[in-house]
Amino acid sequence: MEFETHVIKRDIVIDGFNSIYYFEFGKNFSHAPEKHDFWEMVYVDGGEVIAITDGLGRTLCQGQVIFHKPMEIHAHVSNNIVPNNMLVVSFSSSSEAMQFFDKKVFNLDKTGKTLLTLFINEAKKALGSISGEYSNKNPLDFSGAPFGSVQLLECYLTELLLVLSRNDDSLIIREKVSESSRDLAQSSISELIASYLKDNIYNNITLSDICKTFFMGKSKLCKLFGEYMGVGPIEYYSGLKISEAKMLLLKDELSVSNISDMLGYSSIHNFSRAFKKNTGFSPAEYRKKINHQK
């Protein structure tokens, strides 16, 4: 008698890992909105995190996990009260069943937490150590991984996904987005935009550049930034440049033309006009006035 092989149906298949991080963030951490063409799982191992999806904030507590689907705009912000620990795993999967996880948050039970503990321990063996630096975008290096280590990582994560998919919905968190979470999310994005403008004070950033960087439309971005900063993003950016110009004008070795070029103005005429609109003086008049007061 011969037995036929029953081919295993793989409902969820992980094609590969893109990144594995274990972060220990302070209470004031935040990062700019991002999107990518793979799935991202974020597990809060300690503290609280505000997960921002499509501009809306949601508080995640210890033991909870959220999934971001490919090309979903998202960011994570500490709640300004307590530090937090986060396991972040990004992976590629084209399985239809993955759509179940779209915009869902889960409260992990003992089984789920055990699987993630096994995943973390195996990731340390496979990678030597798990990166905790947000700025580290180096590819994963499994060259020194023990036999079967990466496959075990796949097994642990796949099992977690299957267990969550089969659950009777008791683990799914369906709380509404709170006003405090929404306010913190929007103010954090505004502060990130302001920080981006400060970092680019010697460049020539346009409104389109800001929108592209933060994945937002012009009207939404201007409304959000204006509500929390009191002025529009371009007006705020112009103010930063003028404040910097005032500092540079104190240095006699820099000509007005040099300062105009350094600050990214298209012409000295545009620089002078912007400066006078803000201060009531031309750059030359301002320098003369300051030098007279010394």
Side-chain angles (χ1 to χ4, degrees):
M1 180 178 178
E2 294 184 2
F3 294 94
E4 294 182 1
T5 299
H6 182 85
V7 178
I8 298 173
K9 180 186 177 184
R10 301 187 181 279
D11 295 302
I12 294 180
V13 177
I14 294 176
D15 301 316
F17 292 104
N18 301 83
S19 66
I20 300 174
Y21 295 100
Y22 189 90
F23 296 120
E24 297 180 358
F25 288 140
K27 64 181 182 179
N28 298 313
F29 173 80
S30 62
H31 69 80
E34 61 183 18
K35 65 177 180 178
H36 35 65
D37 60 358
F38 42 79
W39 283 88
E40 182 175 297
M41 179 189 75
V42 177
Y43 171 67
V44 182
D45 199 26
E48 290 186 356
V49 174
I50 307 296
I52 303 173
T53 305
D54 297 328
L56 299 177
R58 184 176 216 171
T59 300
L60 302 181
C61 302
Q62 183 175 1
Q64 294 182 342
V65 62
I66 189 171
F67 291 86
H68 300 295
K69 68 180 180 180
M71 305 312 293
E72 178 179 86
I73 301 170
H74 61 278
H76 304 101
V77 181
S78 297
N79 65 0
N80 296 332
I81 300 174
V82 295
N84 58 79
N85 297 349
M86 296 183 349
L87 171 68
V88 179
V89 180
S90 60
F91 58 95
S92 297
S93 176
S94 55
S95 300
E96 178 94 18
M98 283 300 302
Q99 297 308 312
F100 170 79
F101 296 94
D102 183 15
K103 292 184 173 62
K104 286 191 175 70
V105 177
F106 301 86
N107 191 20
L108 295 193
D109 59 10
K110 183 177 179 180
T111 299
K113 292 178 180 178
T114 298
L115 287 169
L116 284 188
T117 298
L118 291 169
F119 183 95
I120 291 172
N121 291 337
E122 196 61 41
K124 292 177 181 177
K125 297 176 184 177
L127 295 167
S129 62
I130 303 177
S131 175
E133 297 294 328
Y134 180 78
S135 59
N136 180 9
K137 306 300 181 184
N138 296 328
L140 292 172
D141 182 7
F142 291 121
S143 60
F147 175 79
S149 190
V150 180
Q151 190 172 357
L152 277 174
L153 290 177
E154 176 200 4
C155 290
Y156 294 143
L157 182 56
T158 302
E159 184 175 356
L160 175 65
L161 296 172
L162 291 171
V163 167
L164 293 177
S165 298
R166 293 178 58 183
N167 195 269
D168 61 1
D169 276 6
S170 63
L171 299 182
I172 299 177
I173 309 301
R174 302 188 183 281
E175 63 183 6
K176 294 182 179 179
V177 177
S178 69
E179 287 297 325
S180 59
S181 294
R182 180 183 288 108
D183 288 345
L184 181 56
Q186 293 181 348
S187 62
S188 295
I189 292 175
S190 296
E191 290 168 3
L192 287 170
I193 294 172
S195 179
Y196 168 75
L197 295 176
K198 291 174 184 175
D199 290 341
N200 284 278
I201 197 169
Y202 286 100
N203 296 315
N204 187 19
I205 300 298
T206 66
L207 183 58
S208 294
D209 293 329
I210 306 171
C211 292
K212 184 177 180 180
T213 300
F214 290 88
F215 307 106
M216 297 175 67
K218 292 182 179 179
S219 59
K220 181 178 180 180
L221 186 144
C222 291
K223 182 175 184 295
L224 185 152
F225 192 87
E227 287 178 351
Y228 285 90
M229 303 302 289
V231 295
I234 296 303
E235 184 178 352
Y236 179 84
Y237 187 47
S238 178
L240 290 175
K241 284 181 175 288
I242 299 304
S243 294
E244 188 71 5
K246 290 179 179 179
M247 296 296 295
L248 295 174
L249 284 167
L250 295 176
K251 302 177 181 180
D252 290 334
E253 66 270 19
L254 295 173
S255 69
V256 173
S257 179
N258 289 151
I259 295 172
S260 174
D261 291 340
M262 288 174 61
L263 291 172
Y265 285 93
S266 58
S267 69
I268 190 171
H269 172 73
N270 287 337
F271 169 54
S272 297
R273 183 173 59 182
F275 192 92
K276 189 164 187 175
K277 180 180 179 181
N278 184 281
T279 66
F281 300 93
S282 70
E285 289 170 341
Y286 181 83
R287 170 174 275 170
K288 184 177 181 180
K289 173 176 174 287
I290 294 299
N291 287 335
H292 182 71
Q293 293 176 350
K294 289 181 179 179

